[in-house]
C-alpha cells in the first residue's frame, strides 16, 4: 500500500473529523486559477469529503466484484488514492480532475449517488484515471511472462493483461512484474477450485492477512470508544490475494500485533509474481501491487 505511512485512524465518512482532514487539499485546490472562482457551496471541505466518498462508493457498486455480472466500463482506480490527504498527492489530482470534468460538461453540481447520473460519473472517473496517469500517480503493470508459464496459458494471460490496460513486454528489464509459475499457487486443482467458486458466485476465500498499521482509539466521530485505549485500538488488515480496496479496519486484538511492512524490491528490479496475479484482476477489476 503506497500510502500506508499516511494512514489516519478510521473516520466515519463525511463526519466532522473526516471533513477537517480535507483542509489542506481545499486550500491547494482553491489556489488553482481555474478553480479560483468556483462557487463556495460546491468547493469546500465538506464537498470534497462527499465527492471522495461518493467516488469510492460508486466504484464499489459499479466497478467491483458486486458488478461482475455487468461489463465493467473501466478498470477500478486503486482505493489508496482516495485515502491520501496530502496536499499535492494523488487525491488532489483526482479531485481537480472531477472539477474540471464538471466545468467542461457544464454540470451544476456533482451527484455520484444518482442512477440517472451514471454516465456522468463514469466520465468523472475516466477523467480522474487520465490525469492520475499523466501525473504519474497511476501506473498499470508492464508484464513479462517468464518461461515457466506454460504455453497453453500464455494467450489467456496476455488477453487479460491487455483487457485491463496493462502491457505485455518481451524484455524483462522493461517489466514492472515478471509472472512465473508458482507450484504452491498455480496448480491445476487450485485453478479448478477458483473457477468453481466463481461460477457459483462465491467470493475468493479470505484465509491470510497481514497487519498494515495499528492506530490509537477511534475518534468519537467514528463511533466512540470504550474508554480502554488498548481495547479500542484498531488495525488495518490486508487480505492476501485481494486488492487494496478490500483492506479493512479490524479490532487490533483480533489480528497480529506485529505490523508487517509492505514487500519491497531492489531498485530497478521487477516484482516476481505468480500468474494468479493476472487471474485475480479479472475477478476484481482491480490490479494488486
Amino acid at each position: 500500500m503506497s500510502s500506508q505511512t499516511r494512514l489516519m485512524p478510521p473516520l466515519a465518512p463525511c463526519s466532522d473529523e473526516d471533513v477537517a482532514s480535507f483542509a489542506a487539499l481545499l486550500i491547494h485546490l482553491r489556489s488553482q486559477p481555474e478553480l479560483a472562482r468556483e462557487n463556495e457551496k460546491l468547493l469546500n471541505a465538506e464537498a470534497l469529503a462527499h465527492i471522495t466518498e461518493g467516488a469510492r462508493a460508486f466504484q464499489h457498486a459499479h466497478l467491483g466484484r458486486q458488478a461482475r455480472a455487468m461489463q465493467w466500463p473501466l478498470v477500478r482506480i486503486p482505493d489508496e488514492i482516495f485515502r491520501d490527504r496530502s496536499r499535492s498527492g494523488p487525491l488532489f489530482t483526482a479531485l481537480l480532475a472531477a472539477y474540471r470534468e464538471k466545468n467542461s460538461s457544464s454540470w451544476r453540481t456533482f451527484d455520484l449517488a444518482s442512477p440517472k447520473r451514471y454516465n456522468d460519473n463514469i466520465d468523472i472517473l475516466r477523467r480522474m484515471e487520465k490525469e492520475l496517469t499523466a501525473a504519474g500517480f497511476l501506473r498499470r503493470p508492464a508484464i513479462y511472462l517468464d518461461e515457466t508459464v506454460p504455453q497453453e496459458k500464455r494467450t489467456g494471460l496476455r488477453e487479460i493483461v491487455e483487457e485491463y490496460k496493462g502491457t505485455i513486454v518481451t524484455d524483462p528489464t522493461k517489466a514492472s512484474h515478471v509472472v512465473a509459475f508458482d507450484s504452491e499457487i498455480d496448480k491445476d486443482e487450485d485453478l479448478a477450485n477458483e473457477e468453481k467458486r466463481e461460477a457459483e458466485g462465491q467470493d475468493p476465500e479470505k484465509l491470510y492477512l497481514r497487519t498494515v498499521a495499528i492506530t490509537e482509539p477511534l475518534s468519537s466521530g467514528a463511533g466512540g470508544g470504550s474508554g480502554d485505549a488498548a481495547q479500542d485500538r484498531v488495525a488495518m488488515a490486508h487480505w492476501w490475494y485481494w486488492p487494496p480496496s478490500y483492506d479493512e479496519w479490524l479490532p487490533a486484538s483480533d489480528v497480529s500485533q506485529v505490523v508487517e511492512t509492505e514487500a519491497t524490491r531492489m531498485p530497478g528490479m521487477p516484482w516476481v509474481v505468480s500468474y494468479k496475479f493476472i487471474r485475480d484482476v479479472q475477478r476484481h477489476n482491480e490490479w494488486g501491487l
Side-chain angles (χ1 to χ4, degrees):
M1 183 185 309
S2 59
S3 57
Q4 72 178 53
T5 58
R6 293 185 293 274
L7 275 178
M8 300 182 301
L11 302 173
C14 304
S15 65
D16 290 345
E17 293 91 342
D18 187 38
V19 169
S21 73
F22 285 87
L25 276 165
L26 174 62
I27 293 170
H28 196 32
L29 285 165
R30 273 286 176 200
S31 73
Q32 306 306 302
E34 62 196 290
L35 296 184
R37 296 186 179 182
E38 187 74 40
N39 190 319
E40 289 190 10
K41 293 182 179 179
L42 298 178
L43 179 53
N44 56 65
E46 184 175 1
L48 297 182
H50 280 283
I51 294 168
T52 300
E53 183 58 26
R56 295 178 73 183
F58 184 90
Q59 288 208 127
H60 185 74
H62 300 289
L63 301 179
R65 285 187 57 79
Q66 292 74 10
R68 62 185 179 274
M70 302 168 58
Q71 184 174 1
W72 291 309
L74 71 158
V75 181
R76 189 168 181 166
I77 296 172
D79 193 64
E80 55 261 45
I81 283 174
F82 298 105
R83 303 175 193 168
D84 191 322
R85 301 291 191 271
S86 57
R87 182 176 181 272
S88 301
L91 183 55
F92 165 79
T93 298
L95 289 169
L96 181 58
Y99 280 93
R100 284 173 172 166
E101 185 64 26
K102 178 186 76 70
N103 293 338
S104 66
S105 301
S106 300
W107 302 329
R108 293 181 60 187
T109 187
F110 296 100
D111 190 349
L112 286 140
S114 172
K116 295 180 180 179
R117 298 286 299 274
Y118 173 86
N119 289 332
D120 292 342
N121 294 329
I122 288 293
D123 288 342
I124 289 173
L125 290 171
R126 287 191 193 281
R127 183 75 172 254
M128 287 181 176
E129 179 187 46
K130 179 181 178 181
E131 298 196 12
L132 285 165
T133 301
F137 289 121
L138 182 60
R139 298 182 181 90
R140 303 301 188 191
I143 303 293
Y144 175 79
L145 298 179
D146 183 77
E147 61 183 13
T148 60
V149 177
Q151 193 64 39
E152 65 270 18
K153 304 289 185 185
R154 289 175 173 265
T155 298
L157 292 175
R158 287 193 188 99
E159 290 174 351
I160 295 172
V161 170
E162 292 168 356
E163 180 181 358
Y164 291 90
K165 295 190 174 182
T167 56
I168 293 288
V169 298
T170 57
D171 182 349
T173 66
K174 305 295 184 183
S176 62
H177 295 74
V178 170
V179 175
F181 174 77
D182 187 324
S183 60
E184 293 297 316
I185 299 173
D186 294 327
K187 297 190 295 290
D188 287 342
E189 54 265 39
D190 292 332
L191 301 182
N193 182 53
E194 287 181 3
E195 291 171 359
K196 180 175 182 292
R197 291 180 65 88
E198 192 75 12
E200 294 173 349
Q202 299 182 56
D203 285 336
E205 295 179 285
K206 289 183 175 180
L207 298 177
Y208 308 103
L209 60 79
R210 67 179 174 89
T211 303
V212 175
I214 297 178
T215 76
E216 293 308 310
L218 295 168
S219 69
S220 58
S226 67
D228 183 332
Q231 179 179 332
D232 290 340
R233 296 177 79 202
V234 291
M236 172 67 85
H238 173 72
W239 294 97
W240 288 19
Y241 311 125
W242 285 74
S245 64
Y246 292 91
D247 291 355
E248 58 183 317
W249 292 103
L250 299 173
S253 58
D254 290 352
V255 301
S256 169
Q257 300 298 296
V258 177
V259 174
E260 299 180 44
T261 58
E262 185 177 17
T264 57
R265 55 179 173 167
M266 294 289 290
M269 298 296 289
W271 298 101
V272 178
V273 296
S274 71
Y275 54 78
K276 178 175 170 60
F277 176 82
I278 304 298
R279 300 197 309 273
D280 284 349
V281 69
Q282 191 176 42
R283 292 184 170 86
H284 298 287
N285 189 37
E286 179 178 358
W287 287 99
L289 288 175

